[in-house]
mmCIF file of all heavy atoms in Angstrom:
data_model
loop_
_atom_site.group_PDB
_atom_site.id
_atom_site.type_symbol
_atom_site.label_atom_id
_atom_site.label_comp_id
_atom_site.label_asym_id
_atom_site.label_seq_id
_atom_site.Cartn_x
_atom_site.Cartn_y
_atom_site.Cartn_z
ATOM 1 N N ARG A 13 -1.616 -31.186 62.631
ATOM 2 C CA ARG A 13 -2.909 -31.139 61.732
ATOM 3 C C ARG A 13 -2.800 -32.081 60.665
ATOM 4 O O ARG A 13 -3.659 -32.651 60.190
ATOM 5 C CB ARG A 13 -3.237 -29.743 61.328
ATOM 6 C CG ARG A 13 -3.788 -28.839 62.421
ATOM 7 C CD ARG A 13 -4.362 -27.686 61.754
ATOM 8 N NE ARG A 13 -3.212 -26.660 61.511
ATOM 9 C CZ ARG A 13 -3.404 -25.530 60.997
ATOM 10 N NH1 ARG A 13 -4.576 -25.114 60.667
ATOM 11 N NH2 ARG A 13 -2.364 -24.809 60.695
ATOM 12 N N VAL A 14 -1.541 -32.080 60.133
ATOM 13 C CA VAL A 14 -1.108 -32.900 58.920
ATOM 14 C C VAL A 14 0.046 -33.704 59.427
ATOM 15 O O VAL A 14 0.930 -33.161 59.932
ATOM 16 C CB VAL A 14 -0.866 -32.156 57.626
ATOM 17 C CG1 VAL A 14 -0.362 -32.943 56.599
ATOM 18 C CG2 VAL A 14 -2.086 -31.308 57.288
ATOM 19 N N ASP A 55 -4.220 -39.788 52.855
ATOM 20 C CA ASP A 55 -5.243 -38.850 52.261
ATOM 21 C C ASP A 55 -4.732 -38.298 50.987
ATOM 22 O O ASP A 55 -5.453 -37.863 50.144
ATOM 23 C CB ASP A 55 -5.750 -37.767 53.247
ATOM 24 C CG ASP A 55 -6.428 -38.305 54.388
ATOM 25 O OD1 ASP A 55 -7.304 -39.170 54.259
ATOM 26 O OD2 ASP A 55 -6.005 -37.919 55.536
ATOM 27 N N LEU A 56 -3.391 -38.407 50.882
ATOM 28 C CA LEU A 56 -2.661 -37.782 49.749
ATOM 29 C C LEU A 56 -1.345 -38.419 49.506
ATOM 30 O O LEU A 56 -0.731 -38.740 50.599
ATOM 31 C CB LEU A 56 -2.554 -36.244 49.872
ATOM 32 C CG LEU A 56 -1.794 -35.477 48.925
ATOM 33 C CD1 LEU A 56 -2.534 -34.206 48.677
ATOM 34 C CD2 LEU A 56 -0.439 -35.163 49.387
ATOM 35 N N PRO A 75 -5.248 -39.054 45.699
ATOM 36 C CA PRO A 75 -4.667 -37.988 45.075
ATOM 37 C C PRO A 75 -3.023 -37.858 45.155
ATOM 38 O O PRO A 75 -2.617 -38.223 46.213
ATOM 39 C CB PRO A 75 -5.198 -36.725 45.748
ATOM 40 C CG PRO A 75 -6.454 -37.274 46.618
ATOM 41 C CD PRO A 75 -6.002 -38.766 46.802
ATOM 42 N N ARG A 106 2.648 -25.615 50.376
ATOM 43 C CA ARG A 106 1.477 -25.450 51.402
ATOM 44 C C ARG A 106 0.240 -25.216 50.681
ATOM 45 O O ARG A 106 -0.792 -25.851 51.099
ATOM 46 C CB ARG A 106 1.876 -24.197 52.271
ATOM 47 C CG ARG A 106 0.773 -23.914 53.223
ATOM 48 C CD ARG A 106 1.129 -22.616 54.070
ATOM 49 N NE ARG A 106 0.054 -22.419 55.060
ATOM 50 C CZ ARG A 106 -0.021 -21.350 55.771
ATOM 51 N NH1 ARG A 106 1.045 -20.525 55.771
ATOM 52 N NH2 ARG A 106 -1.033 -21.090 56.651
ATOM 53 N N ALA A 107 0.236 -24.377 49.685
ATOM 54 C CA ALA A 107 -1.077 -24.148 48.994
ATOM 55 C C ALA A 107 -1.576 -25.413 48.265
ATOM 56 O O ALA A 107 -2.838 -25.652 48.247
ATOM 57 C CB ALA A 107 -0.906 -22.873 47.970
ATOM 58 N N SER A 108 -0.699 -26.053 47.695
ATOM 59 C CA SER A 108 -0.937 -27.310 46.867
ATOM 60 C C SER A 108 -1.572 -28.325 47.830
ATOM 61 O O SER A 108 -2.623 -29.037 47.488
ATOM 62 C CB SER A 108 0.240 -27.871 46.206
ATOM 63 O OG SER A 108 0.605 -26.991 45.171
ATOM 64 N N LEU A 109 -0.994 -28.521 48.940
ATOM 65 C CA LEU A 109 -1.491 -29.531 49.944
ATOM 66 C C LEU A 109 -2.787 -29.157 50.425
ATOM 67 O O LEU A 109 -3.693 -29.948 50.481
ATOM 68 C CB LEU A 109 -0.450 -29.627 51.080
ATOM 69 C CG LEU A 109 0.894 -30.365 50.848
ATOM 70 C CD1 LEU A 109 1.706 -30.143 52.069
ATOM 71 C CD2 LEU A 109 0.667 -31.838 50.575
ATOM 72 N N THR A 110 -2.937 -27.837 50.709
ATOM 73 C CA THR A 110 -4.248 -27.428 51.256
ATOM 74 C C THR A 110 -5.292 -27.684 50.163
ATOM 75 O O THR A 110 -6.430 -28.262 50.532
ATOM 76 C CB THR A 110 -4.181 -25.950 51.579
ATOM 77 O OG1 THR A 110 -3.158 -25.866 52.587
ATOM 78 C CG2 THR A 110 -5.540 -25.382 52.094
ATOM 79 N N ARG A 111 -5.077 -27.247 48.984
ATOM 80 C CA ARG A 111 -6.123 -27.363 47.906
ATOM 81 C C ARG A 111 -6.373 -28.835 47.705
ATOM 82 O O ARG A 111 -7.643 -29.188 47.637
ATOM 83 C CB ARG A 111 -5.456 -26.840 46.611
ATOM 84 C CG ARG A 111 -6.443 -26.899 45.374
ATOM 85 C CD ARG A 111 -5.904 -26.300 44.167
ATOM 86 N NE ARG A 111 -4.427 -26.451 43.981
ATOM 87 C CZ ARG A 111 -3.924 -27.550 43.521
ATOM 88 N NH1 ARG A 111 -4.704 -28.691 43.200
ATOM 89 N NH2 ARG A 111 -2.605 -27.631 43.410
ATOM 90 N N ILE A 112 -5.524 -29.867 47.698
ATOM 91 C CA ILE A 112 -5.821 -31.168 47.420
ATOM 92 C C ILE A 112 -6.422 -31.875 48.470
ATOM 93 O O ILE A 112 -7.438 -32.543 48.394
ATOM 94 C CB ILE A 112 -4.619 -31.892 46.976
ATOM 95 C CG1 ILE A 112 -4.034 -31.362 45.699
ATOM 96 C CG2 ILE A 112 -4.731 -33.487 46.966
ATOM 97 C CD1 ILE A 112 -2.738 -31.910 45.181
ATOM 98 N N LEU A 113 -6.071 -31.508 49.758
ATOM 99 C CA LEU A 113 -6.669 -32.161 51.071
ATOM 100 C C LEU A 113 -8.037 -31.642 51.227
ATOM 101 O O LEU A 113 -8.763 -32.438 51.783
ATOM 102 C CB LEU A 113 -5.805 -31.880 52.281
ATOM 103 C CG LEU A 113 -4.518 -32.635 52.291
ATOM 104 C CD1 LEU A 113 -3.636 -32.135 53.431
ATOM 105 C CD2 LEU A 113 -4.705 -34.113 52.283
ATOM 106 N N LEU A 114 -8.349 -30.378 50.859
ATOM 107 C CA LEU A 114 -9.760 -29.929 51.027
ATOM 108 C C LEU A 114 -10.735 -30.428 49.920
ATOM 109 O O LEU A 114 -11.914 -30.406 50.127
ATOM 110 C CB LEU A 114 -9.738 -28.422 51.033
ATOM 111 C CG LEU A 114 -9.100 -27.694 52.259
ATOM 112 C CD1 LEU A 114 -9.128 -26.270 52.053
ATOM 113 C CD2 LEU A 114 -9.842 -28.219 53.485
ATOM 114 N N ALA A 115 -10.139 -30.760 48.733
ATOM 115 C CA ALA A 115 -10.947 -31.230 47.739
ATOM 116 C C ALA A 115 -11.354 -32.731 47.978
ATOM 117 O O ALA A 115 -10.745 -33.397 48.914
ATOM 118 C CB ALA A 115 -10.176 -31.300 46.471
ATOM 119 N N SER A 116 -12.279 -33.313 47.239
ATOM 120 C CA SER A 116 -12.825 -34.615 47.577
ATOM 121 C C SER A 116 -11.760 -35.579 47.017
ATOM 122 O O SER A 116 -10.954 -35.232 46.195
ATOM 123 C CB SER A 116 -14.075 -34.882 46.921
ATOM 124 O OG SER A 116 -13.990 -34.750 45.571
ATOM 125 N N ARG A 117 -11.805 -36.774 47.514
ATOM 126 C CA ARG A 117 -10.921 -37.933 47.074
ATOM 127 C C ARG A 117 -11.083 -38.235 45.530
ATOM 128 O O ARG A 117 -12.054 -37.613 44.862
ATOM 129 C CB ARG A 117 -11.063 -39.190 47.795
ATOM 130 C CG ARG A 117 -10.580 -38.961 49.266
ATOM 131 C CD ARG A 117 -10.394 -40.177 49.922
ATOM 132 N NE ARG A 117 -9.673 -41.222 49.243
ATOM 133 C CZ ARG A 117 -8.715 -41.929 49.616
ATOM 134 N NH1 ARG A 117 -8.038 -41.505 50.752
ATOM 135 N NH2 ARG A 117 -8.208 -42.962 48.887
#
Side-chain angles (χ1 to χ4, degrees):
R13 286 191 279 181
V14 174
D55 294 313
L56 180 139
R106 178 180 178 184
S108 297
L109 288 170
T110 301
R111 180 178 37 80
I112 293 172
L113 288 172
L114 291 176
S116 62
R117 289 199 41 126

